[in-house]
Amino acid sequence: LSASPPVVVLLLSLLGLAAAGKLLVVSVDGSPWLSMREVLDILRQKGHEVVVVAPEVSLHIKPSENFVMKMHSGPLSSQEEMERDFKAFLYSFFEEGSFMQRFLKVYKHMKRLVDLAVSSCEHLLQNKELIRYLEESKFDVLLTDPVLPCGVILAEHLSLPSVYFLRGIPCGLDFEATQCPNPPSYVPRAFTGNTDHMSFLQRVKNLLFDTQNLFLCDFAYDPFSKLASEFLQREVTVQDLLHKGSVWLLRLEFVLDYPRPLMPN
């Protein structure tokens, strides 16, 4: 209480430093990064130190004065090649045709993106120099979009609490990981054309269409489970790792999305 004003100012400034944290970011390229970048800009303004890990070839993840960027090699040699694969995948959702035709087109392009994502993650985890830097940097938390679970694997290796910033996971793995109710009798599934008001036959159709999620989860996330098991040197699945998320920040808007329960973490 009797301290001089300069001492008080010094102590208050030290409190500000103590409040700042060190954040490791493993983002997904494309629109997820555009949302996450705004968050990172605000965190940097508040005094937090931000380190972003990304492949050398990317659509939108570029160096910025608001964060330190650590790059690693990846499977693609040019941005044009990446843009072509992304556009083909996105356009497949808007093509017309029967359920089977649309599903097979989406599957084909999704498999290509999954293969690229697994290969990119493998390049990161096998980069011993970069992994050593991350181990020695003593981060406080890892921020990632778990739709591509490379950041989830890295958080487990570094024993970091993880914050998920996501729109959703294609096969409903986010519902399972958070143990959130997602009954096919009430929540419309992709490709059905159903609304949240369904007749009995539409609910049956919804249930049948829901079986595709089991297939999608297997082919989309089994490669990541194998990669995680090899890297962590123990048997583990992506769902096991997702269970450990500390905070789920969901980019939802119920004007566009069906209202549903949200788990309280």
Side-chain angles (χ1 to χ4, degrees):
L1 292 177
S2 61
S4 62
V7 174
V8 173
V9 172
L10 175 61
L11 291 174
L12 290 175
S13 65
L14 290 176
L15 284 175
L17 289 174
K22 196 168 185 179
L23 177 70
L24 175 61
V25 179
V26 182
S27 182
V28 175
D29 202 0
S31 58
W33 167 252
L34 300 179
S35 299
M36 188 174 286
R37 188 178 61 190
E38 294 188 24
V39 177
L40 300 184
D41 291 343
I42 295 172
L43 290 173
R44 183 67 186 90
Q45 292 170 15
K46 293 181 177 293
H48 301 288
E49 183 179 348
V50 179
V51 176
V52 176
V53 174
E56 294 170 348
V57 177
S58 62
L59 291 175
H60 300 296
I61 306 177
K62 307 299 180 185
S64 167
E65 61 182 12
N66 286 332
F67 53 79
V68 175
M69 191 161 180
K70 294 293 181 180
M71 292 184 168
H72 61 87
S73 61
L76 295 177
S77 57
S78 69
Q79 184 167 331
E80 290 74 20
E81 187 180 0
M82 174 173 279
E83 288 179 352
R84 185 176 66 247
D85 289 327
F86 265 103
K87 286 180 180 178
F89 171 66
L90 292 175
Y91 290 160
S92 66
F93 281 96
F94 298 99
E95 293 183 12
E96 297 183 354
S98 67
F99 165 74
M100 188 55 64
Q101 290 174 326
R102 294 160 63 198
F103 179 79
L104 289 176
K105 287 178 181 178
V106 171
Y107 166 78
K108 173 186 173 183
H109 295 300
M110 185 180 287
K111 188 176 188 310
R112 167 65 175 166
L113 292 185
V114 168
D115 291 343
L116 291 175
V118 172
S119 180
S120 179
C121 186
E122 197 169 7
H123 278 79
L124 167 57
L125 299 179
Q126 291 179 352
N127 189 325
K128 295 183 179 179
E129 183 179 348
L130 178 55
I131 293 297
R132 189 180 307 111
Y133 163 80
L134 298 177
E135 291 171 343
E136 295 172 354
S137 294
K138 306 300 181 185
F139 292 98
D140 296 302
V141 67
L142 186 144
L143 175 64
T144 189
D145 186 332
V147 68
L148 295 179
C150 197
V152 178
I153 299 171
L154 200 55
E156 180 69 10
H157 173 70
L158 299 174
S159 299
L160 291 176
S162 49
V163 175
Y164 301 151
F165 187 66
L166 72 158
R167 183 71 176 81
I169 299 179
C171 63
L173 204 57
D174 48 334
F175 287 89
E176 293 184 30
T178 56
Q179 297 182 334
C180 184
N182 187 30
S185 53
Y186 290 97
V187 182
R189 296 309 193 247
F191 301 119
T192 62
N194 291 336
T195 69
D196 56 334
H197 296 283
M198 293 177 274
S199 66
F200 174 75
L201 291 179
Q202 286 174 323
R203 293 176 197 270
V204 172
K205 175 185 176 182
N206 210 46
L207 179 62
L208 294 175
F209 275 52
D210 192 45
T211 57
Q212 66 174 306
N213 283 337
L214 301 175
F215 171 70
L216 285 174
C217 270
D218 285 343
F219 102 84
Y221 291 106
D222 273 1
F224 281 104
S225 295
K226 293 176 182 176
L227 183 59
S229 299
E230 292 172 4
F231 181 67
L232 299 172
Q233 297 185 339
R234 69 177 191 276
E235 198 67 29
V236 68
T237 67
V238 169
Q239 187 172 339
D240 294 334
L241 298 178
L242 288 174
H243 277 307
K244 300 184 178 182
S246 299
V247 178
W248 292 67
L249 300 177
L250 299 170
R251 300 195 306 276
L252 297 180
E253 170 54 67
F254 287 139
V255 171
L256 302 174
D257 299 280
Y258 295 106
R260 61 177 176 84
L262 298 175
M263 294 298 97
N265 63 332

